[in-house]
Amino acid sequence: TLIGLEVYQKDNFIGIVKAVSEVPQGELLRVAREGLKDALIPFTKQFVLNVSIEDRRIDIIDLEGLL
C-alpha cells in the first residue's frame, strides 16, 4: 500500500501519503504536509518518478504549481 510512504521532490521532504483516491483519470495521492494544506498529486508516470515500497519513499517531479 502507498499510504504512509514519504513523498520527496528533489530530495526535499514534502509529506506523507495519507490517502489514495480513485478519479476518472487514475489515482490521486493525498499528501499530508506539516503546516500546509494537503497536496493532491496524480499517481501517474508524468508526475511520479520512483516508488520504493522497500524504502517507504515516493519521488515526484519538480513542477511549478504542483504543490
Side-chain angles (χ1 to χ4, degrees):
T1 181
L2 300 173
I3 295 173
L5 269 59
E6 296 181 348
V7 178
Y8 291 84
Q9 188 178 55
K10 284 191 165 180
D11 283 329
N12 294 315
F13 177 72
I14 302 301
I16 297 176
V17 177
K18 73 175 193 180
V20 179
S21 303
E22 289 281 339
V23 295
Q25 298 80 10
E27 295 178 319
L28 280 178
L29 303 178
R30 179 175 293 276
V31 179
R33 301 184 293 167
E34 194 171 320
L36 298 168
K37 288 176 34 176
D38 290 354
L40 295 175
I41 300 169
F43 188 63
T44 66
K45 290 180 182 179
Q46 294 170 311
F47 296 97
V48 176
L49 298 172
N50 182 56
V51 176
S52 175
I53 301 297
E54 196 175 271
D55 295 330
R56 311 280 306 149
R57 176 182 176 122
I58 297 174
D59 291 286
I60 62 171
I61 65 168
D62 183 19
L63 177 67
E64 189 173 330
L66 180 58
L67 298 175

